[in-house]
Structure formats: structure tokens, C-alpha cells
Amino acid sequence: MNKGLEQGLEQGLEQGRAEGRAEAEIDAVLAVPDARGLDVSFEARERISRCSDLHLLERWIRRAATVTSVD
């Protein structure tokens, strides 16, 4: 296999892993308030679902454990 193809495959795999991790983080951000009985508005759910910033999603997970409102 040529070097360019190998690099392309590795980049594709890395991107796939990052997208999978973001999806898992999004699920967690939405699951925590739900488990705590907090309503998540459609607008908040959409904003969270569109986020791909892993650092921001991780912060949101930690905050979700203590907030009194998702908005």
C-alpha cells in the first residue's frame, strides 16, 4: 500500500474515532439531566447534538451533574 493511502486511511480512522467519542459525550450530556428529572428543551437538545467540541462536551457533562436547569 502506498504511503499516501496509508495516511488517508489513518486520518479517516482518527476522524471516525473522534466522531464516535463526540456522539458518546453528547449522549452523556443528555442522559445526566434526564436521569436527574430535568427537562431538556428542544433548542438545548439541538445545540448539544450539534456540538463536536470534545472539551466543551466534557465540561457540559460535569456541569450536568449539578445544574438546576439545562438552559
Side-chain angles (χ1 to χ4, degrees):
M1 190 177 320
N2 74 32
K3 186 144 177 97
L5 180 58
E6 286 180 33
Q7 288 176 335
L9 288 173
E10 185 58 37
Q11 287 175 343
L13 288 172
E14 184 60 36
Q15 181 179 356
R17 284 189 287 268
E19 289 173 3
R21 183 163 176 219
E23 289 177 17
E25 300 284 334
I26 289 166
D27 288 345
V29 170
L30 294 171
V32 172
D34 182 58
R36 295 183 58 223
L38 299 174
D39 290 324
V40 181
S41 69
F42 177 79
E43 293 81 13
R45 187 174 296 279
E46 286 294 307
R47 180 176 177 215
I48 293 165
S49 296
R50 286 191 308 267
C51 185
S52 61
D53 181 334
L54 292 174
H55 295 290
L56 180 57
L57 288 166
E58 289 170 1
R59 268 199 326 257
W60 284 349
I61 291 170
R62 286 190 295 277
R63 287 182 181 172
T66 60
V67 297
T68 57
S69 169
V70 175
D71 294 325

Coordinates of all heavy atoms in Angstrom, one line a residue:
M1 N 0.9 -1.2 0.0 CA 0.0 0.0 0.0 C 0.9 1.2 0.0 O 1.9 1.3 0.7 CB -0.9 0.0 1.3 CG -2.0 1.0 1.2 SD -3.1 1.0 2.6 CE -3.4 -0.7 3.0
N2 N 0.5 2.2 -0.8 CA 1.4 3.4 -0.8 C 1.2 4.3 0.4 O 0.2 4.2 1.1 CB 1.2 4.2 -2.1 CG -0.1 5.0 -2.2 OD1 -0.6 5.5 -1.2 ND2 -0.6 5.1 -3.4
K3 N 2.2 5.1 0.7 CA 2.2 6.0 1.9 C 1.0 6.9 2.0 O 0.4 7.1 3.0 CB 3.5 6.7 2.0 CG 3.7 7.5 3.2 CD 5.1 7.5 3.7 CE 5.3 8.3 4.9 NZ 5.4 7.4 6.1
G4 N 0.7 7.5 0.8 CA -0.5 8.5 0.8 C -1.8 7.8 1.2 O -2.6 8.3 2.0
L5 N -2.0 6.6 0.7 CA -3.2 5.8 1.0 C -3.2 5.4 2.5 O -4.2 5.6 3.2 CB -3.3 4.6 0.1 CG -4.5 3.7 0.3 CD1 -5.8 4.5 0.1 CD2 -4.4 2.5 -0.6
E6 N -2.1 5.0 3.0 CA -2.0 4.7 4.4 C -2.3 5.9 5.3 O -3.0 5.8 6.3 CB -0.6 4.2 4.8 CG -0.3 2.8 4.3 CD 1.0 2.3 4.6 OE1 1.6 2.7 5.7 OE2 1.6 1.5 3.8
Q7 N -1.8 7.0 4.9 CA -2.0 8.3 5.7 C -3.5 8.6 5.6 O -4.1 9.0 6.6 CB -1.2 9.4 5.2 CG 0.3 9.3 5.6 CD 1.1 10.4 5.0 OE1 0.8 11.0 4.0 NE2 2.3 10.7 5.6
G8 N -4.1 8.5 4.5 CA -5.5 8.8 4.3 C -6.4 7.9 5.1 O -7.3 8.3 5.8
L9 N -6.0 6.6 5.1 CA -6.8 5.7 6.0 C -6.7 6.0 7.4 O -7.7 5.9 8.2 CB -6.3 4.2 5.7 CG -6.7 3.6 4.3 CD1 -6.1 2.3 4.1 CD2 -8.2 3.5 4.2
E10 N -5.5 6.3 7.9 CA -5.3 6.6 9.3 C -6.0 7.9 9.7 O -6.6 7.9 10.8 CB -3.8 6.8 9.6 CG -3.5 7.0 11.0 CD -3.9 5.9 12.0 OE1 -3.9 4.7 11.6 OE2 -4.4 6.3 13.1
Q11 N -6.0 8.9 8.8 CA -6.8 10.1 9.1 C -8.3 9.8 9.2 O -9.0 10.3 10.0 CB -6.5 11.2 8.0 CG -5.1 11.8 8.2 CD -4.8 12.7 7.0 OE1 -5.5 12.7 6.0 NE2 -3.8 13.6 7.2
G12 N -8.7 9.0 8.3 CA -10.1 8.6 8.3 C -10.5 7.9 9.6 O -11.6 8.1 10.1
L13 N -9.7 7.0 10.0 CA -9.9 6.2 11.2 C -9.9 7.2 12.4 O -10.8 7.1 13.3 CB -8.9 5.1 11.4 CG -9.0 3.9 10.5 CD1 -7.8 3.0 10.7 CD2 -10.3 3.2 10.8
E14 N -9.0 8.1 12.5 CA -8.9 9.0 13.6 C -10.2 9.9 13.6 O -10.7 10.2 14.7 CB -7.7 9.9 13.5 CG -7.4 10.8 14.6 CD -7.3 10.1 16.0 OE1 -6.7 9.0 16.0 OE2 -7.8 10.7 17.0
Q15 N -10.6 10.4 12.5 CA -11.8 11.2 12.4 C -13.0 10.4 12.9 O -13.8 10.9 13.6 CB -12.0 11.7 11.0 CG -13.2 12.6 10.9 CD -13.4 13.1 9.4 OE1 -12.6 12.9 8.6 NE2 -14.5 13.8 9.2
G16 N -13.1 9.1 12.5 CA -14.2 8.3 12.9 C -14.2 8.1 14.4 O -15.3 8.1 15.0
R17 N -13.0 7.9 15.0 CA -13.0 7.7 16.4 C -13.4 9.0 17.2 O -14.1 9.0 18.1 CB -11.5 7.4 16.9 CG -11.2 5.9 16.6 CD -9.8 5.5 17.2 NE -8.7 6.1 16.5 CZ -8.0 5.6 15.6 NH1 -8.4 4.4 15.1 NH2 -7.0 6.2 15.0
A18 N -13.0 10.2 16.6 CA -13.4 11.4 17.3 C -14.9 11.7 17.1 O -15.5 12.1 18.1 CB -12.6 12.6 16.6
E19 N -15.4 11.3 16.0 CA -16.9 11.5 15.8 C -17.6 10.5 16.8 O -18.6 10.9 17.4 CB -17.3 11.2 14.4 CG -16.8 12.3 13.5 CD -17.1 12.0 12.0 OE1 -17.6 10.9 11.7 OE2 -16.7 12.8 11.2
G20 N -17.1 9.3 16.9 CA -17.8 8.3 17.8 C -17.7 8.8 19.3 O -18.7 8.7 20.0
R21 N -16.6 9.4 19.6 CA -16.4 9.9 21.0 C -17.4 11.0 21.2 O -18.0 11.1 22.3 CB -15.0 10.3 21.3 CG -14.8 10.8 22.7 CD -13.3 10.8 23.1 NE -13.3 11.3 24.4 CZ -12.3 12.2 24.9 NH1 -11.3 12.5 24.1 NH2 -12.4 12.6 26.1
A22 N -17.5 11.9 20.3 CA -18.4 13.1 20.4 C -19.8 12.6 20.6 O -20.5 13.1 21.4 CB -18.3 14.0 19.2
E23 N -20.2 11.6 19.8 CA -21.6 11.1 19.9 C -21.8 10.5 21.3 O -22.9 10.7 21.9 CB -21.8 10.0 18.9 CG -22.0 10.5 17.5 CD -22.1 9.5 16.4 OE1 -22.5 8.3 16.8 OE2 -21.9 9.8 15.3
A24 N -20.8 9.8 21.9 CA -20.9 9.2 23.2 C -21.0 10.4 24.3 O -21.8 10.3 25.2 CB -19.7 8.3 23.5
E25 N -20.2 11.4 24.1 CA -20.3 12.6 25.0 C -21.6 13.3 24.9 O -22.2 13.6 26.0 CB -19.2 13.6 24.7 CG -17.8 13.0 24.8 CD -17.3 12.8 26.2 OE1 -17.7 13.6 27.1 OE2 -16.4 12.0 26.4
I26 N -22.2 13.4 23.7 CA -23.5 14.0 23.5 C -24.5 13.2 24.3 O -25.4 13.8 25.0 CB -23.8 14.2 22.0 CG1 -22.9 15.3 21.4 CG2 -25.3 14.4 21.8 CD1 -22.9 15.3 19.9
D27 N -24.5 11.9 24.1 CA -25.4 11.0 24.8 C -25.3 11.2 26.3 O -26.4 11.3 27.0 CB -25.2 9.5 24.5 CG -25.6 9.2 23.0 OD1 -26.3 10.0 22.4 OD2 -25.1 8.1 22.6
A28 N -24.1 11.3 26.8 CA -24.0 11.5 28.3 C -24.5 12.9 28.7 O -25.2 13.0 29.8 CB -22.5 11.4 28.7
V29 N -24.2 13.9 28.0 CA -24.7 15.3 28.3 C -26.2 15.2 28.4 O -26.8 15.9 29.3 CB -24.2 16.3 27.3 CG1 -24.9 17.6 27.5 CG2 -22.7 16.5 27.4
L30 N -26.9 14.5 27.5 CA -28.3 14.5 27.5 C -28.9 13.5 28.6 O -30.0 13.7 29.1 CB -28.8 14.1 26.1 CG -28.6 15.1 25.0 CD1 -28.9 14.6 23.7 CD2 -29.3 16.4 25.3
A31 N -28.1 12.4 28.9 CA -28.6 11.4 29.8 C -28.6 11.9 31.3 O -29.5 11.6 32.0 CB -27.8 10.1 29.7
V32 N -27.6 12.7 31.6 CA -27.4 13.1 33.0 C -28.6 13.9 33.5 O -29.3 13.6 34.5 CB -26.1 13.8 33.3 CG1 -26.0 14.4 34.7 CG2 -24.9 12.8 33.1
P33 N -29.0 15.0 32.8 CA -30.1 15.8 33.2 C -31.4 14.9 33.2 O -32.3 15.1 34.1 CB -30.2 16.9 32.2 CG -29.0 16.9 31.4 CD -28.4 15.6 31.6
D34 N -31.6 14.1 32.2 CA -32.7 13.2 32.1 C -32.8 12.3 33.4 O -33.9 12.2 34.0 CB -32.7 12.4 30.9 CG -33.9 11.5 30.7 OD1 -35.0 12.1 30.7 OD2 -33.8 10.3 30.7
A35 N -31.7 11.8 33.8 CA -31.7 10.9 35.0 C -32.0 11.7 36.2 O -32.5 11.2 37.2 CB -30.3 10.2 35.1
R36 N -31.7 13.0 36.2 CA -32.0 13.9 37.4 C -33.4 14.5 37.3 O -33.7 15.2 38.2 CB -30.9 15.0 37.4 CG -29.5 14.4 37.7 CD -28.5 15.5 37.8 NE -28.9 16.4 38.9 CZ -28.8 17.7 38.8 NH1 -28.3 18.3 37.7 NH2 -29.2 18.5 39.8
G37 N -34.1 14.1 36.3 CA -35.5 14.6 36.2 C -35.6 16.1 35.6 O -36.6 16.7 35.8
L38 N -34.5 16.5 35.0 CA -34.6 17.9 34.4 C -35.0 17.8 32.9 O -34.6 16.9 32.2 CB -33.2 18.5 34.5 CG -32.6 18.7 35.8 CD1 -31.1 19.2 35.7 CD2 -33.4 19.7 36.6
D39 N -35.8 18.8 32.6 CA -36.3 18.9 31.2 C -35.2 19.5 30.3 O -34.5 20.4 30.7 CB -37.5 19.7 31.0 CG -38.8 19.0 31.7 OD1 -38.9 17.8 31.5 OD2 -39.6 19.8 32.2
V40 N -35.0 18.9 29.1 CA -34.1 19.5 28.2 C -34.9 20.0 27.0 O -35.6 19.2 26.3 CB -33.1 18.4 27.7 CG1 -32.1 19.0 26.7 CG2 -32.3 17.8 28.8
S41 N -34.9 21.3 26.8 CA -35.7 21.9 25.8 C -35.2 21.5 24.4 O -34.1 21.0 24.2 CB -35.6 23.5 25.8 OG -34.3 23.9 25.5
F42 N -36.1 21.6 23.4 CA -35.7 21.2 22.0 C -34.5 22.0 21.6 O -33.6 21.5 21.0 CB -36.9 21.5 21.1 CG -36.6 21.2 19.7 CD1 -36.6 19.9 19.2 CD2 -36.3 22.3 18.8 CE1 -36.3 19.7 17.9 CE2 -35.9 22.0 17.5 CZ -36.0 20.7 17.0
E43 N -34.5 23.3 21.9 CA -33.3 24.2 21.5 C -32.0 23.7 22.1 O -31.0 23.6 21.5 CB -33.6 25.6 21.8 CG -34.8 26.3 21.0 CD -36.1 25.9 21.6 OE1 -36.2 25.4 22.8 OE2 -37.1 26.2 20.9
A44 N -32.1 23.4 23.4 CA -30.9 22.9 24.1 C -30.4 21.6 23.6 O -29.2 21.3 23.3 CB -31.1 22.8 25.6
R45 N -31.4 20.7 23.3 CA -31.1 19.4 22.8 C -30.4 19.5 21.4 O -29.4 18.8 21.1 CB -32.4 18.6 22.7 CG -32.1 17.1 22.3 CD -33.5 16.4 22.4 NE -34.0 16.3 23.7 CZ -33.6 15.4 24.6 NH1 -32.6 14.6 24.4 NH2 -34.1 15.4 25.9
E46 N -30.9 20.4 20.6 CA -30.3 20.6 19.2 C -28.9 21.2 19.4 O -28.0 20.8 18.6 CB -31.2 21.6 18.4 CG -32.5 21.0 17.9 CD -32.2 19.9 16.9 OE1 -31.5 20.1 15.9 OE2 -32.7 18.8 17.1
R47 N -28.7 22.2 20.2 CA -27.4 22.8 20.4 C -26.4 21.7 20.9 O -25.3 21.6 20.4 CB -27.5 23.9 21.4 CG -26.1 24.6 21.6 CD -26.2 25.8 22.5 NE -24.8 26.3 22.7 CZ -24.4 26.8 23.8 NH1 -25.3 26.9 24.8 NH2 -23.2 27.2 24.0
I48 N -26.8 20.9 21.8 CA -25.9 19.9 22.4 C -25.6 18.8 21.3 O -24.5 18.4 21.1 CB -26.6 19.2 23.6 CG1 -26.6 20.2 24.7 CG2 -25.8 17.9 24.0 CD1 -27.5 19.8 25.9
S49 N -26.6 18.4 20.5 CA -26.5 17.4 19.5 C -25.6 17.9 18.3 O -25.0 17.0 17.7 CB -27.9 17.0 19.0 OG -28.6 16.4 20.0
R50 N -25.5 19.2 18.1 CA -24.7 19.7 17.0 C -23.2 19.9 17.4 O -22.4 20.2 16.6 CB -25.3 21.0 16.5 CG -26.5 20.8 15.6 CD -26.9 22.1 14.9 NE -26.9 23.2 15.8 CZ -28.0 23.7 16.3 NH1 -29.2 23.0 16.1 NH2 -28.0 24.7 17.1
C51 N -22.9 19.9 18.7 CA -21.6 20.2 19.2 C -20.6 19.1 18.9 O -20.9 17.9 19.1 CB -21.6 20.4 20.7 SG -20.0 20.9 21.4
S52 N -19.4 19.4 18.4 CA -18.4 18.4 18.1 C -17.1 18.8 18.9 O -16.1 18.1 18.7 CB -18.1 18.4 16.6 OG -17.7 19.6 16.2
D53 N -17.2 19.8 19.8 CA -16.0 20.1 20.6 C -15.9 19.3 21.8 O -16.7 19.4 22.7 CB -16.1 21.6 21.0 CG -15.0 22.1 21.8 OD1 -14.3 21.4 22.5 OD2 -14.8 23.4 21.8
L54 N -15.0 18.3 21.8 CA -14.9 17.3 22.9 C -14.7 18.0 24.2 O -15.2 17.5 25.3 CB -13.8 16.3 22.6 CG -14.1 15.4 21.4 CD1 -12.9 14.5 21.1 CD2 -15.4 14.5 21.7
H55 N -13.9 19.0 24.3 CA -13.6 19.7 25.5 C -14.8 20.4 26.1 O -15.1 20.3 27.3 CB -12.5 20.7 25.4 CG -11.1 20.1 25.0 ND1 -10.4 19.4 25.9 CD2 -10.4 20.1 23.9 CE1 -9.3 18.9 25.3 NE2 -9.3 19.4 24.1
L56 N -15.6 21.0 25.2 CA -16.9 21.6 25.7 C -17.9 20.6 26.1 O -18.5 20.7 27.2 CB -17.5 22.4 24.5 CG -18.8 23.2 24.8 CD1 -18.6 24.1 26.0 CD2 -19.2 23.9 23.6
L57 N -18.0 19.5 25.4 CA -18.9 18.4 25.8 C -18.5 17.8 27.2 O -19.4 17.6 28.0 CB -18.9 17.3 24.7 CG -19.6 17.7 23.4 CD1 -19.3 16.7 22.3 CD2 -21.1 17.8 23.6
E58 N -17.2 17.6 27.4 CA -16.8 17.1 28.7 C -17.1 18.1 29.8 O -17.5 17.7 30.9 CB -15.2 16.9 28.7 CG -14.9 15.7 27.8 CD -13.4 15.6 27.6 OE1 -12.6 16.4 28.1 OE2 -13.0 14.6 26.8
R59 N -17.0 19.4 29.6 CA -17.4 20.4 30.6 C -18.9 20.3 30.8 O -19.3 20.4 32.0 CB -17.0 21.8 30.1 CG -15.6 22.2 30.6 CD -15.4 23.7 30.5 NE -16.1 24.5 29.4 CZ -15.5 24.9 28.3 NH1 -14.2 24.7 28.2 NH2 -16.2 25.6 27.4
W60 N -19.6 20.2 29.8 CA -21.1 20.1 29.9 C -21.5 18.9 30.7 O -22.4 18.9 31.5 CB -21.8 20.1 28.6 CG -21.8 21.4 27.9 CD1 -21.5 22.6 28.4 CD2 -22.2 21.7 26.6 NE1 -21.7 23.6 27.5 CE2 -22.1 23.1 26.3 CE3 -22.6 20.9 25.5 CZ2 -22.4 23.6 25.1 CZ3 -22.9 21.4 24.3 CH2 -22.8 22.8 24.1
I61 N -20.8 17.8 30.6 CA -21.1 16.6 31.3 C -20.9 16.8 32.8 O -21.8 16.5 33.7 CB -20.3 15.4 30.9 CG1 -20.7 14.9 29.5 CG2 -20.4 14.2 31.9 CD1 -19.7 13.9 28.9
R62 N -19.8 17.4 33.2 CA -19.5 17.7 34.6 C -20.6 18.7 35.1 O -21.1 18.5 36.3 CB -18.1 18.3 34.8 CG -17.0 17.3 34.6 CD -15.7 17.8 35.0 NE -15.2 18.9 34.1 CZ -14.6 18.6 33.0 NH1 -14.4 17.4 32.6 NH2 -14.1 19.6 32.3
R63 N -21.0 19.7 34.4 CA -22.0 20.7 34.8 C -23.3 20.0 34.9 O -24.1 20.4 35.8 CB -22.0 21.9 33.9 CG -20.9 22.8 33.9 CD -21.0 23.9 33.0 NE -19.9 24.8 33.1 CZ -19.7 25.8 32.3 NH1 -20.6 26.1 31.3 NH2 -18.6 26.6 32.4
A64 N -23.6 19.1 34.1 CA -25.0 18.5 34.1 C -25.2 17.8 35.4 O -26.4 17.6 35.8 CB -25.1 17.5 32.9
A65 N -24.2 17.4 36.1 CA -24.4 16.7 37.4 C -24.9 17.6 38.5 O -25.4 17.1 39.5 CB -23.0 16.1 37.8
T66 N -24.7 18.9 38.3 CA -25.1 19.8 39.4 C -26.1 20.9 39.1 O -26.6 21.6 39.9 CB -23.8 20.5 40.0 OG1 -23.2 21.2 39.0 CG2 -22.9 19.5 40.6
V67 N -26.3 21.2 37.8 CA -27.2 22.3 37.4 C -28.6 22.0 37.8 O -29.1 20.9 38.1 CB -27.2 22.5 35.8 CG1 -25.8 22.9 35.4 CG2 -27.7 21.3 35.1
T68 N -29.4 23.1 37.9 CA -30.8 23.1 38.3 C -31.6 23.3 37.0 O -32.8 23.1 37.1 CB -31.1 24.1 39.4 OG1 -30.8 25.4 38.9 CG2 -30.4 23.8 40.7
S69 N -31.0 23.8 35.9 CA -31.7 24.0 34.7 C -30.7 23.8 33.5 O -29.6 24.2 33.6 CB -32.2 25.4 34.6 OG -32.7 25.7 33.3
V70 N -31.2 23.2 32.5 CA -30.3 22.9 31.3 C -30.1 24.1 30.5 O -29.0 24.3 30.0 CB -30.9 21.7 30.5 CG1 -30.1 21.5 29.2 CG2 -31.0 20.5 31.3
D71 N -31.1 25.0 30.4 CA -30.9 26.2 29.6 C -29.9 27.1 30.3 O -29.2 27.8 29.7 CB -32.3 26.9 29.4 CG -33.2 26.0 28.6 OD1 -32.8 25.3 27.7 OD2 -34.4 26.1 28.9

